[in-house]
Amino acid sequence: ARSEDGVQLARTDLVTAIERHRDVVEDDTLRTWIDSMTLLDQAIGELRAALDEDPQNRRLRMLLASRYQQERRLLQKVSRV
C-alpha cells in the first residue's frame, strides 16, 4: 500500500513537471495533461472513499492500484518531454 506521503509526493512531482513544461508544449498537450491529472485525482479520491467503506474489497484495491499506475505513467510521460 502507498503511504499518504508517497501519494502526495507523486502528485507534487506531477504538478511540478507540468508547470516546468508549460512554456515548451502545445496548449492542447498541456490541457490534456491537466485534464488527465484532474480525472486521476478524482478517481483516486472516490476509490479511497469507497475503500474506507469497504476496506476488504479486492476489486476496489485493484482499481486504486491501477489509477496509481496511470498517475505514475503520466508523470513519466510528462518528464520525458
Side-chain angles (χ1 to χ4, degrees):
R2 288 175 61 161
S3 70
E4 284 298 314
D5 290 341
V7 170
Q8 188 57 44
L9 182 59
R11 289 184 183 148
T12 300
D13 288 347
L14 183 55
V15 170
T16 300
I18 289 172
E19 287 296 322
R20 189 173 54 243
H21 293 89
R22 185 174 291 276
D23 296 331
V24 185
V25 298
E26 299 288 328
D27 287 343
D28 288 343
T29 301
L30 186 64
R31 194 172 309 112
T32 298
W33 289 347
I34 292 169
D35 290 348
S36 295
M37 185 181 68
T38 300
L39 288 172
L40 284 168
D41 280 346
Q42 290 172 346
I44 288 169
E46 290 171 9
L47 286 164
R48 291 184 64 76
L51 276 168
D52 285 345
E53 296 293 319
D54 187 5
Q56 301 304 316
N57 188 316
R58 188 170 185 227
R59 179 156 170 73
L60 290 175
R61 288 179 182 271
M62 289 173 54
L63 287 170
L64 183 59
S66 174
R67 294 311 164 263
Y68 284 141
Q69 288 173 348
Q70 287 177 312
E71 184 179 60
R72 188 177 64 246
R73 282 193 302 268
L74 179 60
L75 175 58
Q76 291 168 343
K77 185 177 186 176
V78 170
S79 296
R80 282 191 303 251
V81 170

